[in-house]
């Protein structure tokens, strides 16, 4: 009788423990009912990592779920854009294209002049403001956060940027709550990130948020990335 009691007790405890772990880590994905669009803003001097890493992740959703993301680039004009590293990219659309699709996700990668002359480009900032306000989500990589902040899209929200530029970011936009030593911050529709090699993190987070962990894990496996949201230093607030 005593042996049977302990066996039953062990079985009960053994069954209940995984259930607690699952509840801690579970999140209900959005599961979009249709195809989403993601526009990548490209301007002269855009950095390869901040452009290509999130594009790889979001584009690969089409191979893992029915309503994957349609990605495209948009630049100031139809002229090729040369990245900081020398890659020449032909924009799919320009700011004024009549055929520019509705933008569900606006991606603003860092560029050489994200902290200076780009912030004085009224046409660029107006485009980001208008498209960001109507987008369901907008994301910055590295110093792209300066452009989002200049457009007023981060007002009242928590955010982050490239680690060594956080002090400058705080000085330029003292009204913002800026986190340091995190990979990314998600506050409502805004996702801001440290950039660099960490540029995969916010994109995989968005995929998991939209389509669930299985889809995010599948994309990460294809890109040979060890993806575990719980192990990534990040901040989620204002959901």
């Amino acid at each position: 009788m005593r042996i049977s009691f302990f066996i039953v007790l062990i079985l009960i405890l053994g069954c209940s423990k995984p259930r607690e772990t699952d509840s801690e880590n579970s999140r209900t994905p959005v599961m979009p009912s249709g195809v989403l669009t993601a526009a990548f803003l490209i301007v002269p001097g855009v950095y390869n990592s901040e452009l290509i890493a999130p594009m790889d992740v979001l584009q690969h959703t089409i191979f893992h779920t029915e309503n994957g993301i349609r990605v495209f680039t948009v630049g100031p004009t139809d002229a090729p854009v040369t990245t900081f590293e020398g890659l020449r990219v032909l924009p799919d659309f320009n700011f004024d294209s009549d055929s520019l699709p509705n933008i569900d996700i606006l991606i603003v990668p860092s560029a050489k002049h994200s902290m200076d002359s780009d912030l004085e480009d009224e046409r660029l900032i107006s485009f980001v403001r208008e498209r960001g306000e109507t987008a369901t989500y907008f994301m910055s990589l590295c110093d792209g956060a300066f452009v989002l902040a200049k457009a007023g899209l981060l007002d009242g929200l928590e955010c982050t940027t490239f680690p060594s530029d956080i002090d400058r970011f705080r000085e330029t936009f003292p009204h913002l709550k800026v986190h340091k030593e995190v990979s990314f911050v998600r506050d409502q529709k805004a996702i801001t990130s440290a950039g660099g090699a960490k540029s995969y993190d916010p994109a995989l987070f968005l995929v998991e948020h939209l389509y669930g962990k299985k889809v995010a894990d599948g994309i990460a496996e294809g890109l040979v990335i060890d993806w575990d949201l719980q192990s990534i230093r990040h901040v989620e607030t204002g959901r």
Side-chain angles (χ1 to χ4, degrees):
M1 290 293 291
R2 183 177 301 174
I3 294 176
S4 299
F5 171 77
F6 282 114
I7 290 176
V8 171
L9 181 61
I10 290 171
L11 288 174
I12 292 173
L13 292 175
C15 291
S16 63
K17 189 174 181 179
R19 187 174 301 170
E20 293 172 357
T21 302
D22 290 343
S23 64
E24 290 175 358
N25 296 331
S26 65
R27 61 171 64 226
T28 302
V30 174
M31 299 307 294
S33 58
V35 173
L36 299 179
T37 58
F40 286 78
L41 181 69
I42 54 172
V43 297
V46 64
Y47 290 102
N48 287 356
S49 295
E50 283 78 11
L51 171 62
I52 301 302
M55 182 179 286
D56 273 355
V57 171
L58 299 189
Q59 192 274 339
H60 276 77
T61 57
I62 64 175
F63 302 112
H64 295 268
T65 186
E66 181 178 356
N67 293 316
I69 299 172
R70 175 194 171 195
V71 304
F72 55 85
T73 56
V74 56
T77 70
D78 291 326
V81 170
T82 302
T83 71
F84 181 81
E85 294 81 5
L87 182 68
R88 298 180 76 230
V89 183
L90 186 64
D92 295 309
F93 302 95
N94 67 59
F95 291 171
D96 302 315
S97 295
D98 292 334
S99 57
L100 178 64
N102 177 63
I103 297 174
D104 297 310
I105 307 166
L106 177 65
I107 317 291
V108 182
S110 182
K112 180 179 180 180
H113 296 293
S114 292
M115 295 189 291
D116 44 66
S117 58
D118 283 351
L119 302 183
E120 306 304 320
D121 187 334
E122 294 183 4
R123 183 166 172 259
L124 169 63
I125 298 303
S126 293
F127 177 85
V128 171
R129 180 185 302 114
E130 293 170 4
R131 295 295 178 164
E133 286 177 347
T134 58
T136 306
Y137 304 96
F138 50 80
M139 177 189 299
S140 66
L141 294 306
C142 188
D143 292 329
F146 282 76
V147 177
L148 290 183
K150 181 67 175 184
L153 295 177
L154 298 181
D155 289 354
L157 304 178
E158 300 181 24
C159 53
T160 194
T161 188
F162 188 65
S164 63
D165 294 329
I166 283 180
D167 288 343
R168 182 169 176 178
F169 191 54
R170 286 171 169 166
E171 292 171 2
T172 307
F173 306 101
H175 62 291
L176 299 181
K177 181 176 181 180
V178 184
H179 292 270
K180 62 187 303 185
E181 298 179 352
V182 295
S183 175
F184 66 88
V185 175
R186 183 272 174 107
D187 190 346
Q188 300 181 50
K189 61 191 289 186
I191 304 172
T192 54
S193 71
K198 291 293 186 180
S199 296
Y200 289 99
D201 290 352
L204 282 167
F205 163 78
L206 182 57
V207 168
E208 185 164 326
H209 171 70
L210 291 172
Y211 303 103
K213 181 171 172 54
K214 182 178 179 181
V215 172
D217 286 346
I219 293 173
E221 181 180 1
L223 295 174
V224 197
I225 297 172
D226 294 327
W227 173 246
D228 176 17
L229 180 59
Q230 302 303 316
S231 68
I232 304 295
R233 288 181 59 88
H234 69 285
V235 173
E236 288 187 73
T237 185
R239 297 188 189 183

